[in-house]
């Protein structure tokens, strides 16, 4: 879970973050990231310098650069709180994470000014006019600058903090309880899970032509995998092992022309052969393949007893498709 916190001057952003830290959330402050840059350049750390350096970093590396740096610190399975989020592009990048949620901590001007005067920091505003003037700096129309007002509008939750710390803690704890399970990343369904594996298998393909991958599954267990390329012990197609593929990619023969035999095995073929080689029965299994099977692979699928084929891309071979249909084998294209 990643909780982003935004809010106006003295609204209680840091207090909310401190509460989350006590709940074992790791705290990443975007302002601290800018402070690190100021230290590297031996520039005095002031509010004005923080704003200027932050704007400079966004202009040089993109308006979401601080979010990119923050996400690099995230470890899988841990909870984080991000503070000092001040640009909409930072939010948009973070929103690509399903486990991210943005909170806008609010408080009335009267309450915020009272807190500012009470904490008595040297650079803090002392009047309502000074407060509004400083906050105006953070409401720029420059897309590379601070746009706190636009960030606040993007928040999924508004957390009112006009009361005391104890009440804020209750609200933060309730928020975590309410949202912990809602923001967990969605798991892929079984079809997409196995197709993603077939896509990974495809990366091992050694053919000069389209890379393809296939896996055979029964009862949600993988029986075998296959990708296209030359047979074991034969020079890889990508290294010149298949004369036909080499000639085709040199422009000597056309796609679909077989005047020279192809020595590459297809992904589906390899998956079936590997199962046979290891003594694994493929009867009543399902094949996941990145392309619909050609007619040769379709015949092998039929004879291997495979009952269903799930494909990602429709390969232009009507013969293979018709054979599967005639053999009452289910063929599905995965959306």
């Amino acid at each position: 879970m990643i909780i982003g916190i935004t809010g106006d001057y003295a609204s209680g952003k840091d207090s909310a973050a401190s509460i989350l830290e006590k709940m074992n959330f790791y705290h990443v402050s975007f302002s601290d990231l800018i402070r690190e840059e100021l230290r590297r350049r031996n520039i005095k750390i002031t509010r004005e310098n923080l704003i200027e350096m932050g704007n400079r970093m966004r202009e040089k590396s993109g308006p979401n650069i601080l979010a990119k740096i923050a996400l690099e610190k995230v470890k899988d399975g841990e909870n984080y709180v991000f503070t000092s989020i001040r640009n909409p592009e930072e939010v948009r990048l973070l929103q690509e994470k399903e486990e991210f949620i943005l909170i806008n901590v609010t408080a009335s001007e009267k309450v915020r000014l009272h807190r500012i005067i009470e904490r008595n920091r040297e650079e803090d505003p002392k009047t309502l006019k000074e407060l509004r003037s400083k906050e105006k700096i953070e409401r720029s129309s420059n897309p590379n600058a601070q746009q706190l007002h636009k960030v606040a509008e993007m928040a999924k939750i508004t957390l009112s903090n006009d009361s005391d710390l104890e009440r804020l803690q209750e609200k933060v704890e309730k928020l975590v309880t309410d949202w912990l399970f809602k923001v967990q990343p969605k798991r892929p369904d079984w079809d997409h899970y196995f197709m993603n594996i077939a896509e990974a298998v495809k990366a091992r393909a050694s053919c000069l032509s389209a890379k393809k991958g296939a896996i055979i599954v029964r009862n949600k267990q993988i029986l075998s995998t296959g990708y296209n390329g030359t047979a074991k012990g034969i020079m890889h197609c990508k290294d010149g092992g298949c004369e036909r593929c080499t000639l085709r990619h040199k422009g000597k023969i056309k796609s679909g022309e077989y005047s020279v035999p192809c020595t590459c095995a297809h992904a589906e073929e390899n998956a079936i052969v590997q199962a046979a080689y290891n003594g694994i029965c493929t009867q009543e299994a399902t094949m996941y393949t990145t392309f619909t099977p050609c007619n040769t692979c379709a015949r092998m699928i039929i004879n291997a007893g495979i009952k269903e084929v799930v494909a990602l891309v429709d390969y232009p071979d009507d013969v293979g498709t018709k054979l599967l249909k005639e053999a009452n084998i289910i063929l599905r294209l995965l959306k």
Side-chain angles (χ1 to χ4, degrees):
M1 186 179 194
I2 303 174
I3 296 178
I5 298 180
T6 189
D8 287 320
Y9 216 118
S11 61
K13 304 183 296 294
D14 291 338
S15 296
S18 295
I19 292 167
L20 287 167
E21 282 187 272
K22 291 174 184 176
M23 297 171 67
N24 298 316
F25 278 70
Y26 290 97
H27 185 188
V28 179
S29 165
F30 287 20
S31 290
D32 284 347
L33 300 179
I34 302 172
R35 287 186 181 93
E36 290 173 11
E37 188 64 26
L38 288 172
R39 291 190 189 98
R40 277 195 290 270
R41 297 172 182 240
N42 294 317
I43 299 174
K44 184 179 179 182
I45 297 175
T46 65
R47 187 174 182 82
E48 287 72 22
N49 286 343
L50 281 166
I51 292 172
E52 183 182 346
M53 180 56 69
N55 293 347
R56 197 183 305 173
M57 290 171 71
R58 294 185 192 98
E59 287 169 4
K60 180 182 177 182
S61 305
N64 61 9
I65 181 59
L66 295 174
K68 284 182 179 177
I69 297 171
L71 288 173
E72 288 173 0
K73 298 178 181 292
V74 171
K75 296 179 181 178
D76 191 31
E78 301 293 347
N79 293 322
Y80 290 82
V81 54
F82 288 174
T83 56
S84 303
I85 301 170
R86 291 186 167 91
N87 188 281
E89 291 304 316
E90 295 168 352
V91 179
R92 289 188 183 97
L93 179 63
L94 295 171
Q95 285 175 336
E96 292 178 10
K97 294 279 190 181
E98 292 180 273
E99 63 267 38
F100 173 76
I101 183 171
L102 180 63
I103 300 164
N104 182 29
V105 181
T106 65
S108 66
E109 280 187 330
K110 181 180 177 181
V111 169
R112 292 191 293 113
L113 183 61
H114 174 74
R115 289 172 183 162
I116 291 166
I117 294 171
E118 196 172 57
R119 72 189 186 188
N120 195 29
R121 293 178 185 171
E122 185 179 344
E123 295 184 357
D124 275 349
K126 302 296 185 286
T127 66
L128 195 58
K129 183 178 179 180
E130 289 178 7
L131 173 61
R132 289 172 179 171
S133 177
K134 280 188 175 287
E135 290 186 332
K136 188 177 180 181
I137 299 171
E138 297 182 324
R139 291 173 168 81
S140 172
S141 59
N142 180 355
N144 290 315
Q146 294 190 11
Q147 297 185 320
L148 200 60
H149 57 303
K150 291 187 178 181
V151 170
E153 291 171 0
M154 299 171 79
K156 190 179 288 279
I157 296 171
T158 298
L159 205 64
S160 176
N161 183 34
D162 277 328
S163 189
D164 55 22
L165 191 60
E166 184 178 346
R167 179 61 181 145
L168 178 62
Q169 181 166 337
E170 290 174 3
K171 289 184 177 183
V172 170
E173 289 179 352
K174 185 177 186 303
L175 183 145
V176 172
T177 300
D178 290 346
W179 284 89
L180 176 61
F181 302 112
K182 293 179 183 179
V183 297
Q184 294 304 309
K186 293 182 179 65
R187 299 168 69 199
D189 57 40
W190 286 109
D191 277 346
H192 287 88
Y193 169 73
F194 287 124
M195 190 60 75
N196 287 340
I197 295 172
E199 281 283 310
V201 170
K202 182 178 79 173
R204 282 286 298 169
S206 61
C207 186
L208 282 172
S209 299
K211 307 293 187 285
K212 300 172 186 177
I215 65 172
I216 301 175
V217 175
R218 186 173 55 233
N219 297 329
K220 298 176 182 175
Q221 295 293 318
I222 297 172
L223 304 180
S224 69
T225 67
Y227 50 84
N228 57 323
T230 47
K232 289 180 180 179
I234 306 299
M235 182 188 293
H236 288 306
C237 175
K238 68 180 184 63
D239 297 324
C242 177
E243 184 182 2
R244 179 188 173 275
C245 286
T246 299
L247 290 172
R248 187 170 81 81
H249 286 278
K250 284 184 175 181
K252 303 298 182 182
I253 59 176
K254 294 180 180 180
S255 179
E257 181 184 324
Y258 286 88
S259 56
V260 178
C262 179
T263 56
C264 289
H266 289 188
E268 302 94 329
E269 177 184 356
N270 271 329
I272 293 169
V273 169
Q274 288 302 312
Y277 182 85
N278 290 290
I280 299 170
C281 177
T282 56
Q283 191 173 0
E284 297 298 302
T286 297
M287 174 177 282
Y288 288 85
T289 177
T290 55
F291 277 68
T292 53
C294 69
N295 74 85
T296 300
C297 288
R299 295 197 301 268
M300 296 185 71
I301 288 167
I302 294 166
N303 287 342
I306 293 169
K307 66 176 182 178
E308 182 180 28
V309 175
V310 183
L312 194 60
V313 176
D314 191 8
Y315 182 74
D317 187 337
D318 292 340
V319 177
T321 302
K322 289 175 181 176
L323 285 173
L324 293 177
K325 185 177 181 181
E326 188 177 343
N328 295 318
I329 292 173
I330 300 168
L331 174 62
R332 292 191 288 119
L333 278 176
L334 187 61
K335 295 182 180 179

